[in-house]
Amino acid sequence: MADLDALRLRFTRALEAARAPGGGPDPAPYAENLLARWQEPQRHYHTLTHLTAVLDHVDALEKYAADPDVVRLAAWFHDAVYLPDRSENEERSARLAERALPEAGVPDAKTAEVARLVRLTVTHAPAADDPDGQVLCDADLAILAAPPSAYATYTTQVREEYHFVPNEAFREGRSTILRQLLALPRLFHTPYGQEHWEATARYNLSSELELLSAA
């Protein structure tokens, strides 16, 4: 189970670090709104557990980021709107950040950067000169390098989120995504991700693709 009090504190710290001088309103209502979103019933993988993991990975990759607290806020918002049967989740999540963060006291430039980072999670393809994008994308995809049992749980949870898709269509769609990922020159962009996660992630993706092909 996710530690809600710890998550509230993490959100408050990131928000206060990103705010303009003079601060802003009480962070608590913003934290509660986001926590409620991440606990919606249609979620099986994109839950508070995923949010916590992404935040932990951002912490691990912090030294590569230009503005780690902006990246942390982007992590909070990156799947804040999530409906498995909709294709514009990232865009709607970015727009939520664009509405909420100025009200919460975050300067326009940092709000725009959070929204840009959220939109980047559509492709997970940050530029070579985009350290914050690299950190967020690596943190979000770190699950691909999980140990086999955790990776199996991840794939089961993804299938549960797409329960409305027939088995054959799901296998075809998922296989296409896996092939696209494996065709990328690299899955991870930070030096840490490339060294510690790349090989394991490719093994997991290849193994899942084999299982889907045999099904």
Side-chain angles (χ1 to χ4, degrees), residues 26 48 75 117 159 184 199 209:
D26 183 359
L48 288 176
L117 291 170
R159 183 66 182 105
L184 293 173
L209 185 59

Side-chain angles (χ1 to χ4, degrees), residues 170-210:
F170 180 82
R171 283 198 301 271
E172 290 178 1
R174 181 72 179 173
S175 295
T176 297
I177 292 170
L178 295 174
R179 291 189 189 98
Q180 290 171 344
L181 288 169
L182 287 166
L184 293 173
R186 61 176 181 262
L187 296 165
F188 298 100
H189 301 270
T190 63
Y192 184 95
Q194 291 175 31
E195 180 180 353
H196 295 280
W197 297 337
E198 185 81 21
T200 302
R202 288 189 177 277
Y203 173 83
N204 285 335
L205 292 170
S206 298
S207 298
E208 183 187 357
L209 185 59
E210 286 182 17

